[in-house]
Amino acid sequence: MVQAKKALAKKSRATVTKTQAENYRNYIGGKWVPSRSRDWIENRNPADTRDVIGRFPASTEADVDAAVAAAAEAFDGWRLTPAPRRAEILFRAGEILMRDKDKYTRDMTREMGKVLKEAGGDVQEAIDCTYYAAGEGRRLHGFTTPAEMPDKFAMCVRQPVGLCGLITPWNFPMAIPSWKLMPALVCGNTVVIKPAEDTPLSTYNLIKACEEAGVPPGVVNLVTGYGETVGARISAHPSLRLISFTGSTETGRTVAYSCAERNAICSLEMGGKNAIIIMEDADVDNAVEGAVWGAFGTSGQRCTASSRLIVHKKVYKKFSAKLVERAKQLRVGDGADRSVDVGPVINRDAVEKIMRYIDIGENEDGATLACGGKQLRKGEYAHGYFIEPTVFTGVTPDMRIAQEEIFGPVTSVIPTKSLDEAIEIANGVRYGLSAAIYTQDVNRAFHAMNETYTGIFYINSATIGAEVHLPFGGTKGTGNGHREAGTQVLDIFSEWKSIYVDYSGKLQRAQIDNK
Ligand code: ADP
C-alpha cells in the first residue's frame, strides 16, 4: 500500500496515473531487504508528478533496529581494518561514482528537480568528497608533543566514534550523504543512513556504489522512510554514539534533544539567511551574475542561498535594475531540459511556503515586488512545482522576508549607506552560514571578512560554491560548532585518545615531581 497520510506532506501527494515503478529495498547487513512495513513512499518527479520514479520503503523502527544491529556486528571488523585499506575501498567507490556520473546526474534531476548542470555538480561533489576521504586513509594524522617529564613520550591518535546515524536532506541528495558517509567510513565507523523522503534514489545510488566497491556487509546500512519514524528512531537509538544531521533548524533541535538524553555526539548543519554586500566600487555586472547564481541556483533551495543583497545606495538603482532584467530572462522549467536555468521546487509544501512568503513580502512587509512572484501552473508547468524567480526591492532588514529562511527562488535587495551598516545588517539574523562582499577595495574586503559572523565568506563571489577540502558550517542558528568537509570533519567522526609512555623505569608524577 502506498502510504497516504504522511505522503500528503510530500511531493507524492499528486494524483497520478499508476505506472510500473520499481519497488526499492533497504540495505541492511549487506543485503537488500524489504521493510517490515508494507507501506511505501512514492518518489515522483517534481517537474512532472505523473512521473513515478520508484517506491521506497516507509520503514519502521524495527528496520532501524535491524540496521543498527548489523552496524554493531560489522564494527569490530571495520575499525580493525587498517585505514589505508578502508581508503582503498572508498577510492574504488569514487571510481564507480565517476563511471556512472551521467546516470546519477539524470536520476537526481528527475527526483530532485535541479537542472542537469547542477545535478552533475552535486554528483561531482560526492566524487570529490569520496576521493578526499580516501586520501585521508593514509593520513588521519594524530600528533606527538613533548611530555613535561624526562624519559616520557606523549602522543595523540584518532579512534573511531562507533556506530553513527546519518540523517540527510533532499537539496543535495548525493553530496550531503557523501559528506557524512565517506569521512565516517574512513575513520572506521559503521553507519545507518536515512535519506530525505523526497530524494532516496540518489542516496541509494551512493550506497550501491559502496556495495560494488566492496564495503563489507553491515558497515553501511540504508533505511528509507519518514523523519518522524525512521529519523526519530535513529536520533534516539541507544547504540548510535553519534548523529550527524543536515536539515531544518526546527528538526535539528529535535534531533539535538534526542541526543542530549543519552549524551550522544550530535553534529548539526541547518539553516541560513546569507547576505551579499555590494559596495559602490563593485563591478556591478559581476555582482549581478553572482547574485543571480547565488539566489536562483537550485531554485534557491540551498542553505547557502544568497537571499539578501545589501547594496550601497550609490549603485542600488543600477544593480536592482540589472538584477531584475537578468531574473526575468531566466528560463524556468524541467531541469532535464538543457535550456532551462531554474528547475521546480521540491514539493507542494515548498510551493505553499514560498508563496506564503511572497505574499508576506508584498502585503505584510510592504516590500516592492520587482519581478516574479507567481506560481507557474499552465502548459508545461501544469504537473510540476514551478515558481518564478522573484526579486523584492526596497526591503528593510527587519522585514520577515529579510529575516526568515524562505528556501525558494526569492531574494531581497536591501539598500545601505555604508559598509559598517551593511555588515550590521548582514549579521542581524539568527543564522550565520555564509556571507559575501563585492568590492574592488582590499581593505574593505578584509574588514568585512573579519566582521561578519559566519562560517564561510566569499570575496567577489556569491554565498554559494563550497569546495570539499575546506570546512563547511556556520555560527549561531546554523550549527552547533562542528564543521563538515575539510580535515575538520574528522573531528566529528573520530575521538582523540591521548597516550603517555613513561620509559624512565620509575614513578613520575605529572604536576608534582620535578617542580
Ligand atoms: P525539510 O523541512 O527541508 O524537509 P527536515 O529537517 O524536515 O527538512 O528534513 C531533513 C531530514 O530530517 C530528512 O531526512 C527528514 O526525514 C528528517 N527528519 C524529519 N523529521 C525528523 C525527526 N523528527 N527526527 C529525525 N529526523 C527527522
Side-chain angles (χ1 to χ4, degrees):
M1 161 183 120
V2 173
Q3 185 130 335
K5 185 172 144 279
K6 281 304 188 181
L8 280 179
K10 299 293 168 183
K11 70 187 180 191
S12 49
R13 170 158 62 173
T15 318
V16 295
T17 41
K18 282 268 180 300
T19 53
Q20 282 304 311
E22 187 179 339
N23 286 343
Y24 287 82
R25 294 179 165 208
N26 289 327
Y27 186 61
I28 297 177
K31 295 200 172 64
W32 293 95
V33 293
S35 163
R36 280 142 178 84
S37 118
R38 308 179 74 191
D39 295 337
W40 300 94
I41 302 174
E42 283 188 335
N43 186 2
R44 292 178 190 245
N45 184 339
D48 182 347
T49 56
R50 295 168 302 178
D51 176 20
V52 183
I53 297 156
R55 296 187 182 82
F56 288 77
S59 304
T60 64
E61 295 190 350
D63 294 317
V64 174
D65 294 350
V68 173
E73 202 175 321
F75 179 56
D76 278 345
W78 186 243
R79 77 179 170 84
L80 295 173
T81 302
R85 296 279 93 77
R86 297 197 292 258
E88 282 162 16
I89 299 176
L90 295 195
F91 186 82
R92 278 202 293 280
E95 291 190 306
I96 293 161
L97 293 173
M98 190 80 142
R99 182 194 70 200
D100 293 340
K101 180 178 172 185
D102 287 349
K103 178 189 171 322
Y104 297 154
T105 298
R106 287 192 304 275
D107 281 352
M108 188 183 298
T109 292
R110 192 172 164 212
E111 76 167 347
M112 189 275 164
K114 65 172 84 174
V115 298
L116 285 169
K117 194 173 46 185
E118 292 182 38
D122 195 312
V123 178
Q124 186 59 48
E125 208 169 307
I127 294 167
D128 295 345
C129 177
T130 304
Y131 284 143
Y132 185 67
E136 280 308 312
R138 285 195 182 268
R139 288 187 289 267
L140 284 181
H141 294 310
F143 61 90
T144 64
T145 184
E148 68 178 47
M149 317 295 264
D151 298 329
K152 193 176 171 191
F153 189 84
M155 62 188 162
C156 243
V157 296
R158 290 184 186 276
Q159 296 211 307
V161 162
L163 277 53
C164 300
L166 314 180
I167 301 173
T168 57
W170 46 263
N171 61 337
F172 283 84
M174 191 179 266
I176 292 179
S178 78
W179 281 16
K180 299 180 190 300
L181 179 61
M182 300 309 171
L185 293 183
V186 82
C187 287
N189 305 287
T190 56
V191 163
V192 177
I193 184 166
K194 184 205 104 58
E197 293 88 327
D198 281 324
T199 56
L201 180 59
S202 296
T203 309
Y204 167 92
N205 286 337
L206 184 68
I207 304 305
K208 273 274 186 199
C210 291
E211 181 192 26
E212 188 185 336
V215 173
V219 170
V220 177
N221 302 276
L222 169 72
V223 183
T224 62
Y226 291 106
E228 296 81 351
T229 47
V230 175
R233 179 62 182 156
I234 289 175
S235 307
H237 200 293
S239 302
L240 292 174
R241 172 81 182 111
L242 179 153
I243 304 298
S244 173
F245 167 88
T246 301
S248 64
T249 303
E250 292 67 31
T251 306
R253 197 173 297 128
T254 310
V255 170
Y257 283 137
S258 227
C259 291
E261 290 273 348
R262 63 177 199 287
N263 194 31
I265 300 163
C266 177
S267 144
L268 303 173
E269 204 49 66
M270 303 177 289
K273 191 71 189 174
N274 315 288
I276 305 181
I277 297 170
I278 295 126
M279 295 308 296
E280 74 273 29
D281 64 345
D283 174 340
V284 170
D285 289 331
N286 192 28
V288 167
E289 285 311 306
V292 166
W293 172 231
F296 304 123
T298 319
S299 306
Q301 303 170 112
R302 293 174 179 245
C303 47
T304 53
S306 308
S307 54
R308 296 182 298 151
L309 310 171
I310 305 169
V311 187
H312 195 279
K313 59 182 196 240
K314 285 192 183 147
V315 288
Y316 173 79
K317 267 200 180 146
K318 183 175 168 193
F319 174 86
S320 302
K322 287 188 178 225
L323 176 70
V324 167
E325 188 189 316
R326 279 288 286 116
K328 283 181 177 166
Q329 284 165 3
L330 295 172
R331 177 155 149 58
V332 179
D334 184 342
D337 173 347
R338 291 207 181 265
S339 70
V340 161
D341 301 301
V342 180
V345 299
I346 189 69
N347 59 32
R348 189 168 301 178
D349 278 359
V351 171
E352 283 167 11
K353 178 182 169 196
I354 296 161
M355 293 310 295
R356 203 162 56 241
Y357 271 112
I358 291 173
D359 182 57
I360 288 168
E362 210 180 353
N363 299 312
E364 292 180 26
D365 286 339
T368 304
L369 180 62
C371 70
K374 286 202 272 309
Q375 184 186 353
L376 300 165
R377 299 165 185 269
K378 296 204 177 117
E380 63 176 304
Y381 304 119
H383 300 286
Y385 303 120
F386 297 98
I387 295 178
E388 289 177 332
T390 300
V391 177
F392 280 105
T393 53
V395 176
T396 56
D398 55 319
M399 289 182 181
R400 283 186 67 189
I401 55 168
Q403 285 290 326
E404 297 172 24
E405 190 178 38
I406 301 174
F407 226 64
V410 181
T411 194
S412 293
V413 191
I414 305 171
T416 188
K417 57 181 187 316
S418 69
L419 177 58
D420 283 337
E421 185 189 67
I423 292 168
E424 199 182 318
I425 295 169
N427 284 334
V429 289
R430 64 194 280 233
Y431 301 107
L433 183 52
S434 183
I437 187 167
Y438 278 85
T439 179
Q440 302 295 329
D441 181 335
V442 69
N443 297 342
R444 284 172 155 181
F446 271 70
H447 180 64
M449 179 279 291
N450 199 47
E451 296 305 311
T452 42
Y453 187 40
T454 57
I456 306 169
F457 191 79
Y458 294 88
I459 296 169
N460 291 329
S461 181
T463 54
I464 67 176
E467 301 180 20
V468 302
H469 55 299
L470 279 79
F472 182 95
T475 62
K476 299 192 283 188
T478 296
N480 63 342
H482 296 282
R483 292 290 184 270
E484 296 194 315
T487 49
Q488 287 69 19
V489 71
L490 303 175
D491 290 332
I492 299 178
F493 289 106
S494 62
E495 303 234 43
W496 285 109
K497 182 177 278 181
S498 301
I499 303 152
Y500 302 94
V501 183
D502 190 321
Y503 57 95
S504 69
K506 60 177 194 245
L507 173 65
Q508 296 197 95
R509 295 171 300 179
Q511 293 93 37
I512 296 172
D513 296 331
N514 288 344
K515 283 282 165 196

